[in-house]
Amino acid sequence: MAPVVTRTNASLAAGYKEDNSKGPMLRFQESLPRLVVPTLQETADRYIKSVHPLISASELEATESAVTEFLKPGGVGEALQNKLLARAADPNVKNWIIEWWNESAYLGYRDPVVPYVSYFYSYKDDKKRRDPAKRAAAITTAALEFKKMVDGGTLEPEYMRKQPMCMDSYKWMFNACRIPKKPVDEPIKYPASEHKYFVVIRKNHFFKVFHEVDGTQLNTHELEAQFARIYELANLSKAPAIGALTSENRDVWTDARQTLLDAAPENATALTTIESASFVFCLDDTSPVTLEERAHQYWHGDGQNRFFDKPIQFIVNENGTAGFMGEHSMMDGTPTHRLNDYINESIFKNKLDFSSGSVRSNLPEPTPVRFTVNDAVHATIDQAQRDFRNVVGLHDLRVLAFQGYGKGLIKKFKCSPDAYVQMIIQLAYFKMYGKNRPTYESTATRRFQLGRTETCRTVSDESVAWCNAMSDPDIAPQACIGLFRKAIDAHVKYITDASDGRGVDRHLFGLKRLLEPGQEQPSLFKDPAYAYSTSWFLSTSQLSSDHFNGYGWSQVIDGGFGIAYMINESNLQFNIASKKLGADKMQFYLTDAANDMRELMESEMEIAKAKL
């Protein structure tokens, strides 16, 4: 993923009209371009090129035939393309894919959001705030400052390649929730001005904490007092794990939610209080130490002391370790990455005053959010916990904190850091399986109105040729270097095209979506190569921060890996998740591949020095 720039610069956003009536954050929104619709021929050519290294010659012949049929003048492909062009040109449709994508990829997805959809960031330790109440208060203070900028529209937009990015998804950051419904969940946004509080969960107790009283935001000392009081109150009684219900299959949770509402009228008020809160803060009673322990804690925990439908959940443990969990349906990782980077930057670099102000005497105590639970609700909670343990138990996870080198050395090799790490992943997979398989890298398309993501298909003829050469002892290093450069260039070309809305997958998705009910699928979509090339044996993405010691999420198919990675100046980090495919072995092969590549590229540098 290309780096996102957030600083103000006169050279940024040249040629974009500004509408200052919308505030700084949204001033470019209406002048952002609409998501493009590539030509059929363009997508067909790129599609054939992308499947070429993945299938046999005979399979490729069948695929080419299916594509040719799809492209016939006056045929089904042309008809679908014309429909899509008409949709994209509709002045009432700002982004032709967004409603379809949100529904298909997220809101209509019925498997549990945890561990399959949600993602996490693990924060580095705050040595000044080992006490969990102190750490929670500092995080909340910084989060509320960021929230003010979002709610007030004063946050500076993000930029990529000097182009402003869509900021619309930020509205789903605070005072929002995903509501389970059949067959498609519903996102709800509540007015921030009417819900000036957040919810804290401790030992399955929910507490409402006002973050503004008498028009003044609580200072850090006041927030710390609120958290400290919650630690006391939560010890007074036991509470049922209501939040465990949100870990269920979405249809099961829909029914369980109704069971909860039917149990007592006050349960509706309690649910609305949580769903409309600014965010959720989880005070866990565990003390994770290792990177794997922390990853598990923020990725899914024990299925309790959470409300997984909230887009923003901060987590602090007994030993002061902390992290974040995000629900993915209406917002991708870049906005929450910015939020969490801002929080940690503010704390570790003292950019906010965390020490001023005394504790006011008129602050209301944290208010318990109470549920009435009958036998039917208890049964659904028990079942949810069993289902959660079964699902999470299917997975393995490893964290590779590779200290050999990072972005600094990769740039000395004159390589795109992201493309370089993608090749580490490709080579590691090849070492483990002896072949390359379809690989997804998330690419932001937020330079378009309501843009989200496109797929970068990482596997290319060039990357496969290079992986094969690296395993052949008879191929000279200089030849491997030449092939590696071609693989890097191919990756940069595809990801650049994808970020410009010219990938393969979203366009084909849109065309397929326009088939009429009962209409026969074109042979292109029935071709086995189509299903195989969209089976992500490797699902990958990069978000990097000097303040995180972890970041990750799940694999997307049972036979695949989810590999999240961070590229920092002097180190690389990989979070490896799978359904017991051998995350430990992948960890080894990633290390092995990274070392092989360093040796290869340093040999190139030595050759260049010798010529001087």
Side-chain angles (χ1 to χ4, degrees):
M1 182 178 289
V4 173
V5 178
T6 55
R7 64 181 180 274
T8 304
N9 188 304
S11 67
L12 299 175
Y16 285 80
K17 292 182 180 178
E18 299 186 40
D19 181 357
N20 291 310
S21 68
K22 295 181 179 296
M25 186 172 82
L26 300 175
R27 68 185 186 273
F28 296 117
Q29 283 299 109
E30 294 306 315
S31 65
L32 294 177
R34 295 193 173 203
L35 182 65
V36 298
V37 177
T39 67
L40 278 182
Q41 190 64 58
E42 182 182 358
T43 293
D45 292 344
R46 190 172 282 117
Y47 174 66
I48 291 293
K49 184 177 175 66
S50 74
V51 299
H52 183 267
L54 298 171
I55 58 179
S56 68
S58 61
E59 290 170 328
L60 181 63
E61 188 177 341
T63 297
E64 288 175 333
S65 176
V67 169
T68 299
E69 180 184 336
F70 192 73
L71 293 177
K72 279 182 181 177
V76 63
E78 185 177 292
L80 294 173
Q81 177 77 349
N82 288 337
K83 283 185 179 181
L84 191 56
L85 289 169
R87 178 179 172 86
D90 185 338
N92 297 315
V93 178
K94 291 189 175 182
N95 184 305
W96 60 260
I97 197 175
I98 191 64
E99 289 182 13
W100 293 341
W101 187 250
N102 288 351
E103 177 185 311
S104 178
Y106 296 109
L107 297 173
Y109 183 78
R110 308 323 286 164
D111 282 343
V113 295
V114 55
Y116 295 117
V117 179
S118 300
Y119 60 98
F120 73 88
Y121 307 129
S122 176
Y123 299 164
K124 289 184 177 178
D125 290 343
D126 185 347
K127 295 178 181 178
K128 293 182 179 179
R129 299 172 181 87
R130 299 289 190 187
D131 178 87
K134 287 183 180 295
R135 185 141 203 211
I139 290 170
T140 303
T141 297
L144 290 173
E145 290 303 310
F146 195 87
K147 183 180 188 299
K148 273 193 221 171
M149 292 187 284
V150 172
D151 292 346
T154 62
L155 188 70
E156 179 66 16
E158 296 161 37
Y159 302 87
M160 185 180 292
R161 301 201 299 271
K162 299 184 179 181
Q163 297 171 325
M165 299 177 73
C166 180
M167 301 293 287
D168 181 81
S169 63
Y170 275 78
K171 71 186 178 190
W172 296 106
M173 187 172 282
F174 301 107
N175 302 103
C177 197
R178 174 176 179 162
I179 309 297
K181 290 194 174 182
K182 296 180 184 178
V184 177
D185 289 357
E186 178 186 0
I188 291 188
K189 168 71 177 178
Y190 295 86
S193 59
E194 299 172 17
H195 301 87
K196 297 181 179 182
Y197 64 88
F198 59 98
V199 164
V200 179
I201 317 177
R202 170 67 176 172
K203 293 187 175 181
N204 294 320
H205 290 276
F206 292 82
F207 296 92
K208 180 179 181 179
V209 178
F210 287 96
H211 53 68
E212 183 179 306
V213 175
D214 295 335
T216 302
Q217 181 177 301
L218 271 65
N219 62 43
T220 309
H221 293 307
E222 291 172 330
L223 288 166
E224 183 182 340
Q226 295 283 311
F227 283 114
R229 181 60 176 147
I230 286 169
Y231 276 104
E232 295 174 356
L233 293 171
N235 286 328
L236 300 179
S237 62
K238 290 187 176 181
I242 297 293
L245 297 174
T246 65
S247 72
E248 270 285 15
N249 168 281
R250 302 308 294 176
D251 288 343
V252 174
W253 168 213
T254 302
D255 293 338
R257 188 175 190 271
Q258 190 58 52
T259 300
L260 184 62
L261 291 170
D262 291 342
E266 59 267 27
N267 288 347
T269 302
L271 277 175
T272 301
T273 298
I274 298 167
E275 291 161 357
S276 59
S278 294
F279 50 82
V280 163
F281 212 115
C282 308
L283 302 177
D284 284 3
D285 57 1
T286 58
S287 296
V289 175
T290 68
L291 295 180
E292 276 89 3
E293 287 174 341
R294 298 182 194 209
H296 278 295
Q297 192 63 22
Y298 307 134
W299 182 24
H300 53 71
D302 64 359
Q304 303 180 51
N305 213 60
R306 299 281 188 278
F307 201 86
F308 292 115
D309 288 358
K310 290 292 283 185
I312 305 293
Q313 290 193 90
F314 301 106
I315 302 160
V316 167
N317 302 297
E318 294 283 336
N319 60 354
T321 54
F324 168 89
M325 182 184 205
E327 198 283 311
H328 208 307
S329 59
M330 299 303 292
M331 188 171 43
D332 295 310
T334 46
T336 59
H337 172 263
R338 185 176 179 187
L339 163 68
N340 284 274
D341 225 27
Y342 173 90
I343 289 170
N344 285 280
E345 184 87 359
S346 299
I347 293 170
F348 288 113
K349 296 191 176 178
N350 297 309
K351 291 190 173 182
L352 295 173
D353 187 352
F354 297 98
S355 60
S356 65
S358 57
V359 178
R360 286 172 280 174
S361 59
N362 65 333
L363 294 182
E365 272 215 335
T367 306
V369 180
R370 302 190 190 280
F371 289 91
T372 298
V373 177
N374 58 19
D375 289 345
V377 174
H378 275 300
T380 60
I381 292 172
D382 290 345
Q383 185 61 51
Q385 291 177 307
R386 286 193 295 270
D387 291 341
F388 173 85
R389 288 191 293 269
N390 289 337
V391 168
V392 170
L394 297 172
H395 293 76
D396 59 354
L397 179 148
R398 289 291 185 277
V399 178
L400 169 60
F402 180 78
Q403 302 299 321
Y405 59 98
K407 180 169 56 179
L409 185 60
I410 294 170
K411 286 187 172 181
K412 288 182 180 179
F413 295 151
K414 295 182 170 55
C415 294
S416 154
D418 183 75
Y420 184 100
V421 175
Q422 282 288 323
M423 292 308 116
I424 291 178
I425 295 170
Q426 285 300 305
L427 184 57
Y429 194 91
F430 187 88
K431 284 171 174 282
M432 187 165 174
Y433 288 99
K435 65 186 299 184
N436 299 98
R437 288 192 175 106
T439 302
Y440 169 99
E441 181 185 0
S442 178
T443 308
T445 54
R446 283 179 53 212
R447 78 175 191 86
F448 299 101
Q449 288 189 40
L450 306 186
R452 290 199 64 169
T453 61
E454 172 60 280
T455 301
C456 174
R457 294 187 166 209
T458 294
V459 178
S460 64
D461 286 324
E462 292 84 356
S463 69
V464 171
W466 171 68
C467 286
N468 278 292
M470 290 292 286
S471 68
D472 189 339
D474 295 328
I475 296 182
Q478 279 188 285
C480 286
I481 291 167
L483 292 169
F484 177 70
R485 293 288 182 193
K486 289 179 180 178
I488 289 281
D489 291 345
H491 186 81
V492 170
K493 174 69 167 62
Y494 199 111
I495 203 167
T496 302
D497 289 341
S499 68
D500 287 336
R502 299 188 179 279
V504 163
D505 292 274
R506 301 298 184 263
H507 186 198
L508 292 180
F509 168 85
L511 295 171
K512 188 176 181 182
R513 185 69 186 241
L514 284 166
L515 289 168
E516 297 292 337
Q519 181 179 356
E520 184 181 356
Q521 286 201 359
S523 55
L524 168 62
F525 298 126
K526 293 189 289 186
D527 178 26
Y530 178 73
Y532 177 65
S533 71
T534 55
S535 297
W536 307 120
F537 287 83
L538 284 165
S539 176
T540 71
S541 186
Q542 180 217 154
L543 285 175
S544 300
S545 171
D546 289 331
H547 300 302
F548 302 166
N549 58 26
Y551 148 64
W553 26 263
S554 172
Q555 76 291 335
V556 298
I557 65 170
D558 287 353
F561 290 90
I563 300 183
Y565 58 97
M566 299 192 297
I567 307 174
N568 296 320
E569 187 65 23
S570 58
N571 60 81
L572 307 172
Q573 186 149 321
F574 301 86
N575 190 89
I576 309 152
S578 76
K579 277 194 171 179
K580 299 292 178 69
L581 294 181
D584 54 343
K585 290 183 175 62
M586 179 57 72
Q587 180 183 38
F588 169 82
Y589 285 119
L590 286 166
T591 302
D592 201 40
N595 287 331
D596 282 357
M597 287 169 62
R598 175 176 187 164
E599 183 179 344
L600 179 72
M601 300 312 292
E602 286 182 337
S603 72
E604 182 187 46
M605 294 176 75
E606 289 300 318
I607 292 169
K609 283 182 184 178
K611 290 180 179 178
L612 293 177

